[in-house]
Amino acid sequence: MALENSRDDRRSSDPEYAANLRRATLASSVGSALEYYDFALYGLASALIFGELFFPALGAGAGTAAGFATYAVGFFARPFGGVIFGTIGDKLGRKGVLIATIGLMGASTTLIGVLPTGEQIGIWAPILLVVLRILQGLGAGAEQAGATVLMAEYAPVRRRGYFSALPFVGIMIGTIIASIVFFFLGLVDRQIVHDWLWRLPFLASILLIAIAIFIRLRLRESPAFINLEKNEQVARNPLAVSFTKSWRTIVRGIGLRMAENGGSAIYQTLAVSYVTKIVAAEEWEGPLAIAIGAAIGVFVIPIAGALSDRFGRMRVYRIGSIIQLVLAIPAWWLMSLGSMWLIIPVLAITYGVGVNVMLGAQCAALPELFGNRARYIGVAITREFSAVIAGGIAPLIGALLLVAFSNSWWPLAGYVVVLSGITLWATIVTPETRARDLDLVTDAIDDSYDDLSSRPLPTVSRRQFKAQNRA
């Protein structure tokens, strides 16, 4: 650990390292913005218009459920993308994979914008939608894992939580953009939206693709992977390493993601559909609430990351899960009352605070949990399998619960409580990872007490940090 600390001290005064750190932050942030622009855009479209566009023969309720089913398909594709690209990332490096995934994901989203509808080509419309959603999921399956690993491996040790959280502000920016788009679509004549206007937000993805690829082409490989190659420790089969050596770590990581990813999907899609179609709120209210919640997340995520440097990843993560658990029942009850003055702030706070406190702590925690030989694929498997279990099927399960319980709000609140309880348990059984040496090839679960005690003290203040760098 002392070796990494001394190396970290040298990095902090190295202009080239500082430039690469800024470039890595920008590259990861733009990719995160594109992924979650796509994520939020597709989720909102599934909640509000895809049922009528691609499944017109099914009727309103079944059409919405079918739209959510295509939403879930993308999540089922993500683990395969995580395994494929995660393996490549651990064998050949992070940079090339990040260029490939952003291109695949963005191109798929753009092509959704040119698809014919169900009225135009019948059954082929949903088939093509599902194909593009699968391709989108394959790219997204390694995109966020790669951005997470890259930033953790670039970031200064004592401030890794803060720097690793910065690219995830891109998640909020992407969500804000998508939510604002649907806010304005809700103000336009519905027939115009259904005729052609819905296509423009998907076609706009091509701009983010171009920017992201340009930035990533100028990016250097991560320091941790360079050291892995230098020491000839690159795994021949990272997938085998992850399932034989890291399965306990993966289980804990999935547990950590249940409330964060599940809560994010529930509030961004299911809650929007619930307040719009069941409570009969205006179509713009849900997207506006999500946009406000994402704006709150812009501040909450880096603050939570910084707090995790000071107090520990699991302690901050635990607070986020408790916030979401405590808010679940009152939040859904208040939304069920149908008042705009309740729906917007309640949905904004539950998404903006509860979910994003956990996300801020997670940014550095997941890469720190895994050893260097199978970190990319380990994080990818953890993120994407949990994305299926927690996030991908959440809106579909919610829609089925609404049908089974006559549109009652309490099963949805109970669903959030269960997910939050799982994550709360996971924070208790997962080892603390703050400031762990990312050159270690073993997982955090195998660390000894001496390993834990050798880590640096919690981060100092910004003023002290700058003073130390000058010294």
Side-chain angles (χ1 to χ4, degrees):
M1 191 68 210
L3 177 61
E4 181 167 334
N5 290 339
S6 63
R7 187 165 59 241
D8 194 52
D9 292 338
R10 290 196 300 271
R11 287 174 180 173
S12 63
S13 59
D14 182 355
E16 183 179 358
Y17 168 73
N20 283 318
L21 178 60
R22 288 193 299 271
R23 196 172 294 130
T25 304
L26 185 59
S28 300
S29 298
V30 173
S32 297
L34 176 58
E35 179 183 357
Y36 272 76
Y37 172 77
D38 293 349
F39 173 87
L41 191 68
Y42 199 99
L44 289 168
S46 299
L48 300 174
I49 62 173
F50 271 2
E52 297 172 52
L53 289 173
F54 292 96
F55 305 95
L58 297 182
T64 299
F68 281 146
T70 68
Y71 176 84
V73 164
F75 280 88
F76 282 107
R78 290 176 68 135
F80 296 98
V83 169
I84 294 168
F85 290 111
T87 299
I88 297 171
D90 277 324
K91 293 186 70 173
L92 303 179
R94 324 306 192 202
K95 176 181 174 178
V97 171
L98 286 170
I99 293 173
T101 56
I102 200 76
L104 178 60
M105 184 177 61
S108 303
T109 302
T110 302
L111 288 174
I112 289 174
V114 300
L115 280 181
T117 64
E119 289 186 352
Q120 293 171 321
I121 61 171
I123 190 64
W124 285 104
I127 290 175
L128 292 173
L129 179 66
V130 168
V131 170
L132 290 177
R133 180 64 175 157
I134 290 172
L135 293 175
Q136 189 185 56
L138 289 174
E143 167 60 33
Q144 199 59 60
T148 301
V149 169
L150 182 76
M151 271 314 304
E153 293 178 343
Y154 256 108
V157 174
R158 293 176 186 268
R159 305 195 72 204
R160 186 182 290 147
Y162 171 73
F163 276 99
S164 296
L166 291 181
F168 283 70
V169 172
I171 291 175
M172 298 299 105
I173 293 173
T175 303
I176 290 170
I177 295 172
S179 300
I180 289 175
V181 165
F182 266 85
F183 167 74
F184 283 110
L185 288 181
L187 301 177
V188 178
D189 181 83
R190 192 170 181 82
Q191 190 59 47
I192 295 175
V193 174
H194 281 224
D195 284 347
W196 61 273
L197 194 58
W198 70 272
R199 300 180 183 278
L200 296 186
F202 289 92
L203 295 174
S205 289
I206 196 168
L207 298 176
L208 283 173
I209 299 171
I211 295 171
I213 290 178
F214 173 77
I215 295 170
R216 290 182 177 187
L217 285 171
R218 302 179 63 217
L219 184 67
R220 289 186 60 187
E221 188 55 78
S222 82
F225 186 78
I226 290 173
N227 288 330
L228 197 66
E229 287 189 313
K230 185 187 302 182
N231 296 323
E232 298 183 350
Q233 294 177 315
V234 177
R236 292 185 178 181
N237 189 343
L239 180 61
V241 172
S242 65
F243 279 115
T244 57
K245 305 291 186 180
S246 299
W247 67 268
R248 293 178 299 162
T249 303
I250 291 171
V251 170
R252 284 166 171 78
I254 290 174
L256 291 173
R257 290 266 292 163
M258 294 300 286
E260 176 269 321
N261 188 255
S264 177
I266 286 170
Y267 288 118
Q268 286 190 66
T269 57
L270 180 60
V272 171
S273 178
Y274 174 78
V275 299
T276 302
K277 299 186 177 182
I278 306 301
V279 181
E282 297 291 335
E283 284 199 359
W284 54 266
E285 291 181 24
L288 177 61
I290 295 301
I292 295 172
I296 294 172
V298 168
F299 301 96
V300 171
I301 291 172
I303 290 172
L307 289 174
S308 76
D309 282 325
R310 184 175 294 275
F311 300 108
R313 316 291 187 224
M314 291 304 111
R315 186 176 298 176
V316 175
Y317 214 125
R318 190 173 304 125
I319 291 171
S321 66
I322 292 172
I323 290 173
Q324 183 163 279
L325 190 153
V326 170
L327 289 178
I329 293 176
W332 282 94
W333 173 65
L334 290 171
M335 286 190 289
S336 73
L337 299 179
S339 169
M340 175 186 72
W341 303 106
L342 291 175
I343 289 171
I344 292 176
V346 167
L347 187 50
I349 291 171
T350 50
Y351 170 63
V353 178
V355 169
N356 289 317
V357 168
M358 291 182 281
L359 182 59
Q362 180 192 115
C363 300
L366 285 187
E368 288 173 332
L369 280 170
F370 291 92
N372 200 11
R373 298 182 73 214
R375 177 172 297 126
Y376 197 143
I377 193 168
V379 173
I381 290 173
T382 298
R383 286 186 58 85
E384 303 316 326
F385 275 87
S386 61
V388 174
I389 300 169
I393 63 174
L396 181 59
I397 289 177
L400 295 175
L401 287 173
L402 288 173
V403 173
F405 291 91
S406 302
N407 294 333
S408 177
W409 61 269
W410 66 263
L412 306 181
Y415 189 17
V416 176
V417 167
V418 170
L419 293 177
S420 301
I422 293 172
T423 292
L424 179 59
W425 171 82
T427 64
I428 295 172
V429 299
T430 301
E432 179 54 55
T433 62
R434 179 184 61 193
R436 189 170 188 265
D437 186 349
L438 294 187
D439 285 339
L440 293 173
V441 296
T442 55
D443 289 357
I445 199 171
D446 298 317
D447 287 350
S448 66
Y449 178 78
D450 290 339
D451 293 327
L452 294 174
S453 61
S454 67
R455 295 177 190 166
L457 295 173
T459 184
V460 296
S461 68
R462 184 184 294 272
R463 182 179 300 175
Q464 291 172 312
F465 182 76
K466 291 181 178 178
Q468 289 175 352
N469 288 344
R470 287 195 296 270

